[in-house]
Amino acid sequence: MGPVWVLYGGVLLLIISSFASLMVGAQPIAPRVVLAAWLNPDGTQLEHILVQTTRLTRTLMSLMVGASLGRCWGADAVDDAQSTGPTGVIRHQCRGDLLYRPE
């Protein structure tokens, strides 16, 4: 199995888990209601309001945090693999320190 298929599988898993995140909560919401909230939103139905406000925000924030952590872990792996050059640049950026300070 090539790396392209692994990428497609990861994207598909991300889409499925994001959709599941919209359905799961203190009050479970059916998949057809989540789709209806996306395609034909109705501001008078409680489930539509929950999907559009609370759950969509939660899902988008978790995707952004996951992407940031994935970038940092991948950057650390690249930085660890480098044998020459300025080490520590990427690691400092992931920790929030945007300035390069030689060690």
Side-chain angles (χ1 to χ4, degrees), residues 85-100:
T87 59
V89 176
I90 300 172
R91 222 178 258 132
H92 288 294
Q93 288 176 348
C94 291
R95 291 184 185 141
D97 184 8
L98 297 178
L99 300 175
Y100 171 66

Side-chain angles (χ1 to χ4, degrees), residues 15-44:
I15 291 170
I16 291 171
S17 62
S18 297
F19 189 73
S21 173
L22 294 172
M23 294 186 299
V24 176
Q27 178 183 357
I29 298 177
R32 63 177 173 78
V33 177
V34 172
L35 284 175
W38 277 0
L39 302 175
N40 190 15
D42 183 8
T44 60

Side-chain angles (χ1 to χ4, degrees), residues 16-64:
I16 291 171
S17 62
S18 297
F19 189 73
S21 173
L22 294 172
M23 294 186 299
V24 176
Q27 178 183 357
I29 298 177
R32 63 177 173 78
V33 177
V34 172
L35 284 175
W38 277 0
L39 302 175
N40 190 15
D42 183 8
T44 60
Q45 293 186 6
L46 177 63
E47 290 88 3
H48 289 222
I49 295 170
L50 282 174
V51 168
Q52 292 172 357
T53 57
T54 307
R55 297 190 183 182
L56 185 60
T57 306
R58 174 186 67 187
T59 301
L60 293 176
M61 289 299 293
S62 65
L63 289 173
M64 287 190 295

